[in-house]
């Protein structure tokens, strides 16, 4: 197993030095950020013009429309804008909710509805920066437009006639890693100052939620402030719908929760409704943020989350042969007529995780293969590859893609072959970076005291520290699988530390010598084939406190197992 060590042999390995290496120069300020780290709303370009426009329409009780973008960040900022306008006594405000996963006003149906309703002002939060063609059409119909966004601009697509507040387009230095909800919060702050109100502070919890849901870089001091506010105390959660969800999922844990907990337990509930639900379901989800029908909405979210998992599993199983055929290529491309746009990213992510290489899932629309990419090829690199007509989204890891495949089976085969050939030339191997490496018999217990804790810190671009521990020699005869699914394994390393493996697949259980066998009652149980093995692991650090006894734990994220068959290997 190949790894890169973040620390050199002569460097002092400390928690503070790790944060320094990750780009955080003032650790104390990061751990306990003062309110001074918050950017003034007035440093944002066009924010005063935006506020003046919104204020004008509020004071004249004009018709105001809001477009909800189709993700958790979009829900949060459209709800905030809607609720804020209601607090300002605006009676004619309407939220237009996407029926699919379109962005901003790219949906023809949304544009039609807006023109039919004839608002005086259209507010587009979390989208709209690159929608000049459609925004010009709206403006030509006498409607003012305020775009409040955080996505990178494409120069030819930016509308010159709309008022755009976007942290990635700012002339003055600001937090360009803030979410769409965060930028909306800045606009509402400025509106408060202009209207002599104090409504924006009730939405701080949603800014923290959106930073997590939209996978924003958590290393900026301002993002850390919003996250700490959300994570420090459940009583800081002001939104009643979010509070109820936190109470359900985190109360049994003593109301202790992390960014990872929210990312895995809360955010997928919202996204599953966006992917699986009807328009009425999405409207119900929006109204739950407004405090309506919270209990039944939570039940709906849980139902759709289960349905979403089944759909992804079924898709992957249906295309197993396609995946296996491409095992020798650097990329898996699934051109499937049964693909569903809202699920392409999830399916591509699952396949990428299974195969440890990039994946595209999509289907032919006209002369293009349209879908989602998941993997580690930068979006700017992808845009330069043969026949790629569009790659747009996050810089790395996850974005939408279109590939020109022509109008015949011959051209499709050739174009995809050209595209694949360029990716097959790339070195797509990713070598994990760890803090440092230790031989199993030289692992220092002091690193647990140094690094365990601070679990609220770890998020996008600030990974939980991992370590490489090698040459763990084990006689497998005494190993026993644990848990309801027999997928957990605990191996004592010494009297102070144990190694924990979780969610072991059947294939990985076999590496340790486990195999299935029916007992006398016809029940399946696990037996073990005796052998001596050598294990190398990449693991995070934890501590288990049980009945007054403290045990350090290596929580395995990746591993390799090799059987020891002779004395020479025993010494390696």
């Amino acid at each position: 197993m190949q790894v890169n060590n973040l620390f050199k042999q002569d460097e002092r390995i400390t928690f503070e030095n790790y944060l320094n290496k990750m780009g955080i120069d003032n650790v104390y300020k990061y751990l306990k950020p003062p309110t001074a780290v918050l950017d003034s709303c007035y440093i944002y370009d066009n924010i005063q013009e935006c506020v003046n426009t919104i204020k004008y329409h509020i004071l004249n009780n004009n018709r105001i429309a809001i477009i909800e973008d189709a993700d958790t960040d979009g829900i949060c900022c459209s709800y905030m804008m809607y609720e804020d306008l209601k607090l300002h006594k605006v009676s004619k405000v309407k939220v237009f909710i996407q029926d699919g996963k379109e962005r901003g006003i790219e949906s023809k149906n949304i544009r039609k509805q807006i023109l039919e309703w004839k608002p005086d002002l259209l507010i587009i939060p979390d989208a709209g920066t690159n929608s000049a063609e459609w925004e010009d059409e709206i403006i030509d119909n006498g409607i003012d437009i305020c775009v409040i966004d955080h996505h990178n601009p494409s120069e030819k697509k930016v509308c010159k006639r709309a008022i755009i507040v976007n942290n990635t387009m700012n002339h003055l230095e600001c937090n360009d890693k803030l979410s769409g909800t965060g930028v909306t919060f800045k606009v509402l702050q400025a509106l408060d100052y202009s209207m002599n109100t104090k409504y924006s502070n009730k939405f701080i919890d949603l800014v923290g939620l959106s930073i997590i849901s939209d996978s924003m870089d958590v290393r900026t001091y301002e993002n850390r402030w919003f996250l700490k506010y959300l994570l420090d105390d459940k009583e800081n959660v002001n939104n009643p719908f979010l509070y109820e969800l936190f109470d359900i999922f985190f109360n049994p844990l003593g109301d202790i929760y992390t960014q990872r907990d929210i990312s895995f337990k809360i955010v997928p509930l919202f996204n599953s409704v966006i992917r699986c639900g009807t328009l009425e379901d999405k409207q119900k989800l929006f109204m739950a943020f407004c405090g309506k029908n919270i209990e039944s909405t939570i039940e709906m979210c849980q139902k759709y989350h289960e349905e979403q998992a089944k759909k992804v599993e079924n898709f992957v199983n249906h295309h197993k042969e396609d995946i296996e055929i491409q095992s020798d290529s650097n990329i898996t491309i699934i051109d499937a007529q049964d693909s569903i746009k809202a699920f392409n990213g999830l399916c591509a992510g699952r396949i990428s995780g299974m195969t440890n290489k990039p994946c595209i899932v999509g289907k032919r629309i006209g002369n293009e293969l349209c879908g989602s990419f998941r993997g580690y090829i930068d979006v700017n690199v992808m845009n330069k590859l043969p026949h790629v007509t569009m790659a747009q989204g996050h810089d790395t890891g996850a974005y939408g893609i279109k590939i020109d495949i022509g109008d015949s089976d011959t051209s499709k085969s050739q174009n995809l072959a050209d595209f694949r050939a360029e990716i097959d030339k790339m070195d797509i191997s990713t070598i994990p970076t760890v803090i440092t490496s230790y031989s199993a018999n030289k692992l220092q217990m002091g690193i647990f005291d140094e690094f365990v804790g601070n679990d609220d810190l770890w998020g996008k671009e600030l990974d939980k520290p991992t370590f490489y521990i090698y040459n763990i020699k084990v006689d497998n005869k005494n190993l026993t699988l644990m848990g309801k699914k027999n997928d957990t394994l605990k191996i004592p390393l010494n009297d102070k530390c144990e190694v924990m493996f979780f969610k072991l697949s059947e294939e990985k259980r076999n590496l340790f010598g486990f195999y299935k066998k029916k007992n006398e009652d016809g029940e399946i149980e696990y037996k073990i084939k005796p052998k001596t093995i050598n294990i190398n692991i990449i693991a995070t650090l934890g501590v288990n406190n049980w009945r007054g006894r403290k045990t350090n734990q290596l929580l395995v994220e990746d591993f390799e197992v090799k059987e020891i068959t002779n004395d020479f290997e025993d010494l390696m």
Side-chain angles (χ1 to χ4, degrees), residues 17 72 130 134 137 141 166 210 221 235 287 352 356 367 374 402 408 424 426 459 533 542 544 563 565:
N17 287 345
T72 300
N130 298 308
W134 301 309
E137 177 191 355
N141 279 270
N166 185 320
S210 68
Y221 294 108
E235 297 309 312
M287 293 310 298
S352 178
N356 293 316
N367 292 342
R374 296 294 183 270
K402 293 181 181 179
S408 68
D424 284 344
M426 297 179 182
I533 54 178
N544 181 40
E563 183 175 359
T565 56

Side-chain angles (χ1 to χ4, degrees), residues 349-550:
R350 172 70 66 84
I351 295 168
S352 178
M354 288 167 47
T355 58
N356 293 316
K357 63 185 183 183
C359 178
I360 294 172
V361 170
K363 65 181 176 183
R364 176 193 286 269
I365 301 177
N367 292 342
E368 292 179 315
L369 175 65
C370 304
S372 296
F373 173 88
R374 296 294 183 270
Y376 294 95
I377 299 177
D378 187 279
V379 67
N380 298 309
V381 173
M382 185 64 78
N383 267 311
K384 296 175 183 177
L385 295 183
H387 310 297
V388 172
T389 57
M390 186 278 288
Q392 185 174 313
H394 294 289
D395 290 340
T396 57
Y399 44 85
I401 188 168
K402 293 181 181 179
I403 303 172
D404 180 6
I405 55 176
D407 56 4
S408 68
D409 289 340
T410 302
S411 63
K412 171 188 169 183
S413 178
Q414 186 59 52
N415 287 9
L416 287 183
D418 294 343
F419 172 77
R420 187 189 298 277
E422 288 301 311
I423 290 183
D424 284 344
K425 292 176 186 177
M426 297 179 182
D427 180 7
I428 63 162
S429 58
T430 53
I431 300 174
T433 297
V434 298
I435 299 292
T436 192
S437 303
Y438 291 108
S439 173
N441 60 1
K442 293 184 179 179
L443 177 63
Q444 300 173 16
M445 293 299 112
I447 64 168
F448 289 88
D449 295 329
E450 184 69 30
F451 284 94
V452 170
N454 296 302
D455 285 343
D456 65 307
L457 294 182
W458 317 127
K460 180 70 173 178
E461 304 299 341
L462 185 60
D463 296 327
K464 188 172 185 178
T466 56
F467 295 79
Y468 178 55
I469 315 299
Y470 58 94
N471 285 349
I472 304 172
K473 182 183 174 185
V474 175
D475 185 341
N476 76 343
K477 286 182 291 186
N478 296 320
L479 296 184
T480 304
L481 291 169
M482 304 161 57
K484 292 180 180 179
K485 297 182 179 180
N486 289 307
D487 60 356
T488 301
L489 180 63
K490 178 169 68 175
I491 299 177
L493 188 68
N494 53 47
D495 60 346
K496 295 180 179 178
C497 185
E498 58 195 17
V499 184
M500 299 297 302
F501 299 81
F502 300 100
K503 295 184 178 180
L504 292 170
S505 65
E506 195 65 38
E507 181 182 359
K508 289 183 177 180
R509 279 175 277 209
N510 293 340
L511 295 174
F512 293 94
F514 291 104
Y515 64 95
K516 288 180 176 179
K517 187 176 181 180
K518 284 186 178 181
N519 60 21
E520 294 178 354
D521 298 325
E523 297 173 338
I524 298 293
E525 53 184 31
Y526 281 92
K527 300 291 184 179
I528 198 158
K529 178 184 176 182
K531 60 181 178 180
T532 303
I533 54 178
N534 192 71
I535 309 169
N536 302 326
I537 64 171
I538 294 174
T540 59
L541 308 181
V543 172
N544 181 40
N545 291 293
W546 178 250
R547 294 181 177 177
R549 185 173 184 269
K550 174 183 170 183

Side-chain angles (χ1 to χ4, degrees), residues 20 36 61 125 134 185 199 211 302 391:
N20 290 158
N61 198 27
W134 301 309
F185 175 78
Y199 299 144
I211 290 169
Q302 291 172 322

